Amino acid sequence: MGYDAIVIGAGPAGTTASRLLAEWGHRVALVHRPKARPVNVAESLPPSVRTAFHLAGIQEQVDGAGFARSAGNAAWWGTAEPRVETYPPPRWGYHVRRADFDRLLCDLAVARGVCLLESAPPASAPFVLDCSGRTGVLARRGFRRTSGYPRTMAIGAVWRKPGGLPYAGLTLVEAFSGGWAWSVPVDEDRRYVSVMIDARRAADYRAQLATTEAFRKMLDGAVIEGNIRACDATPYTCSRFAGSGILVVGDAASFLDPLSSFGVKKAITSAWMAAVAVHTALKDGSRAPLAIAYFEERERQAYEDARRHTARYCGQVAETLPHPFWSRRASSEPGFYAPAGLTAQLELLRTAAEIRLRRSEQIGVEKRPAVEGNEVVERPKLVAPQLPPGLEFVNGVEISRLLELSERHTQLPDLWRAYNSGNEEVDLPNFLGALCLLLAKDVLTLR
Ligand SMILES: Cc1cc2nc3c(=O)[nH]c(=O)nc-3n(C[C@H](O)[C@H](O)[C@H](O)COP(=O)(O)OP(=O)(O)OC[C@H]3O[C@@H](n4cnc5c(N)ncnc54)[C@H](O)[C@@H]3O)c2cc1C
């Protein structure tokens, strides 16, 4: 049987991309390598993952599967007291056991007609999507590049305390001198607890946890259940994300520092965009270069956005914990993203009774790629010469869309809500960050 696309790897990216392509009428093989022993890893998915679920058309199924809802997070981020952020209804995140989550997504793909195989099919296909995660079956053949990022190791285990562990329903994170600790509830009595440290440090899990404050107290009287697992958690990216009918997708394409908590969201969004690009190319070969180039551009920008974000967080800790772990990960922002006057713009926005934004007269209209439904098309978009050519997103905010809406609202919350109602949802700090950058670059002015 001939396939239109072969997808390698049945994690969140592979199951999503293959299911969408099958839904859109294509013949798809998903090559799955079952794990010898399922691992009981729990992960935390922030509320913004729901935009990715929505794009991928699985919101209802995920909600129906009964995964625990995340109430928020508590962070000891260079502070003695935790900063607790709870998610106000109707926003919520999830705590998922990855084995259960991946099985659900795989079942949904098979139900849509995806052909699940345990080895690559004998014949090739016009498109092959590498969704094999860090393994990068094809990504390592000339796509991935060395990142220069300090090597990070994650070591984790499930902890159980009869009678329950504190901070029910919250994801916990604590920075310590040589790394950070992270915990996701598995159930009332159990938490998955990991530490991220420099890969060259001696990897004594318990000794690392003993140097924490809040985690040490929380785990007093708790016992480890099962094995302690270590894995590489060093971020990386690719120099190109597609070529010769191959697309590298999800973690195969780039890996975000787990600090971002956006890995699954990025994998699903990346899979959706890859499926849209491949669907466009299969439907109309003349649009293939446009669609694939747009996929590549979005992959590149998603990684760069997340990398800057993480560097900022590490910089906060580096101010109070003078350890190379933090200073080496807290690279300064590239000049373009940290122009003079950014903080002043934020202050102006915060204190203004109303905002009257005006677009620069230099802003023009150009035909640019965009997604309409499940296809990449060219459509007119607002572009500003003050910004680097091709820059579509800042902090996950789509610039042309923000420019379109900017003059229509005089209250910041209204502008933010209007943006979120038609786009992938972004949180307020990221939205403000993008807006301030446009103000500092005179793309917008505040009157
Ligand atoms: C320590 C740690 C903590 C994390 N915590 C979080 C978190 O809390 N929240 C979050 O959102 N993200 C988190 N992440 C990131 C998240 O796990 C990944 O971003 C996400 O799993 C990426 O999905 P994917 O489908 O691209 O890759 P994967 O989930 O890695 O899936 C790849 C699949 O390909 C399969 N495969 C590999 N080789 C082959 C082959 N040769 N043939 C066939 N199949 C193959 C693998 O078995 C796997 O099923 C964390 C990551 C780490 C390392």
Side-chain angles (χ1 to χ4, degrees):
M1 177 182 178
Y3 294 103
D4 298 318
I6 297 170
V7 178
I8 306 169
T15 50
T16 301
S18 58
R19 180 182 47 78
L20 288 173
L21 283 168
E23 271 179 29
W24 299 336
H26 306 292
R27 291 160 301 171
V28 190
L30 173 61
V31 186
H32 175 42
R33 196 181 58 180
K35 291 199 172 58
R37 275 181 304 134
V39 189
N40 200 14
V41 172
E43 288 185 357
S44 165
L45 313 183
S48 64
V49 77
R50 293 170 66 211
T51 11
F53 291 165
H54 181 71
L55 280 177
I58 52 171
Q59 181 67 71
E60 229 175 83
Q61 291 88 336
V62 172
D63 283 340
F67 294 112
R69 286 188 182 184
S70 162
N73 53 64
W76 292 263
W77 206 238
T79 55
E81 292 303 316
R83 186 180 54 80
V84 178
E85 182 201 1
T86 50
Y87 304 139
R91 297 181 83 224
W92 67 82
Y94 304 82
H95 290 137
V96 300
R97 292 191 212 202
R98 275 297 303 274
D100 299 341
F101 183 70
D102 289 13
R103 194 173 316 112
L104 169 72
L105 267 50
C106 193
D107 289 347
L108 292 172
V110 171
R112 283 295 180 168
V114 170
C115 181
L116 194 64
L117 305 173
E118 289 201 5
S119 58
S124 189
F127 288 98
V128 180
L129 277 60
D130 181 0
C131 299
S132 64
R134 181 171 286 268
T135 309
V137 181
L138 300 174
R140 287 179 192 266
R141 298 190 196 163
F143 292 88
R144 217 175 264 175
R145 64 173 158 87
T146 45
S147 68
Y149 201 88
R151 287 202 54 214
T152 308
M153 176 165 53
I155 318 175
V158 175
W159 290 72
R160 182 175 60 84
K161 189 170 178 178
L165 282 155
Y167 306 107
L170 295 183
T171 303
L172 310 176
V173 56
E174 177 179 351
F176 59 91
S177 181
W180 53 281
W182 166 259
S183 170
V184 178
V186 176
D187 56 33
E188 279 175 11
D189 292 343
R190 293 177 181 78
R191 276 184 167 276
Y192 191 75
V193 178
S194 43
V195 290
M196 317 289 161
I197 54 172
D198 268 327
R200 59 208 166 109
R201 281 167 72 102
D204 185 337
Y205 176 57
R206 289 173 193 272
Q208 297 296 332
L209 280 172
T211 67
T212 63
E213 285 294 325
F215 272 55
R216 187 168 45 80
K217 286 184 196 143
M218 173 180 79
L219 296 174
D220 189 27
V223 290
I224 292 181
E225 220 177 52
N227 295 330
I228 299 173
R229 280 182 76 238
C231 67
D232 191 351
T234 312
Y236 53 74
T237 186
C238 282
S239 46
R240 59 196 179 107
F241 298 88
S244 313
I246 297 168
L247 280 78
V248 289
V249 186
D251 272 15
S254 67
F255 181 78
L256 310 179
D257 194 308
L259 188 53
S260 74
S261 226
F262 280 168
V264 168
K265 179 189 170 188
K266 186 193 74 104
I268 292 177
T269 310
S270 162
W272 166 77
M273 191 58 229
V276 169
V278 168
H279 171 64
T280 307
L282 286 168
K283 198 173 160 192
D284 172 5
S286 71
R287 272 188 286 149
L290 175 83
I292 303 296
Y294 193 47
F295 163 75
E296 288 211 82
E297 195 46 51
R298 289 189 58 149
E299 281 297 306
R300 191 167 290 115
Q301 291 190 18
Y303 175 78
E304 288 304 326
D305 256 10
R307 194 190 51 74
R308 284 198 311 276
H309 213 72
T310 308
R312 223 176 294 143
Y313 276 130
C314 293
Q316 287 169 6
V317 181
E319 285 172 15
T320 51
L321 293 175
H323 188 282
F325 179 91
W326 296 107
S327 50
R328 290 168 68 219
R329 287 164 176 79
S331 61
S332 53
E333 291 260 19
F336 171 78
Y337 291 95
L342 210 55
T343 324
Q345 299 295 351
L346 184 62
E347 208 40 44
L348 274 178
L349 283 175
R350 280 213 171 116
T351 50
E354 58 173 29
I355 51 161
R356 288 192 184 279
L357 294 164
R358 284 289 165 267
R359 292 198 292 252
S360 151
E361 294 194 346
Q362 289 173 276
I363 287 178
V365 179
E366 267 179 24
K367 273 195 160 182
R368 286 273 177 89
V371 177
E372 260 176 34
N374 56 7
E375 290 180 38
V376 179
V377 296
E378 269 194 313
R379 74 161 188 233
K381 281 188 179 178
L382 294 177
V383 290
Q386 296 93 329
L387 305 177
L391 184 76
E392 295 261 346
F393 292 86
V394 169
N395 293 353
V397 177
E398 191 181 354
I399 301 300
S400 60
R401 177 78 183 138
L402 174 54
L403 291 177
E404 269 173 38
L405 295 170
S406 59
E407 293 183 348
R408 296 191 206 157
H409 299 273
T410 56
Q411 295 298 321
L412 200 52
D414 294 342
L415 179 60
W416 179 46
R417 264 193 294 275
Y419 178 88
N420 275 344
S421 69
N423 280 68
E424 216 182 298
E425 199 178 305
V426 289
D427 61 20
L428 189 57
N430 280 329
F431 186 73
L432 283 174
L435 193 51
C436 288
L437 188 69
L438 295 182
L439 287 165
K441 295 284 175 191
D442 294 325
V443 178
L444 291 172
T445 46
L446 189 60
R447 298 204 297 190

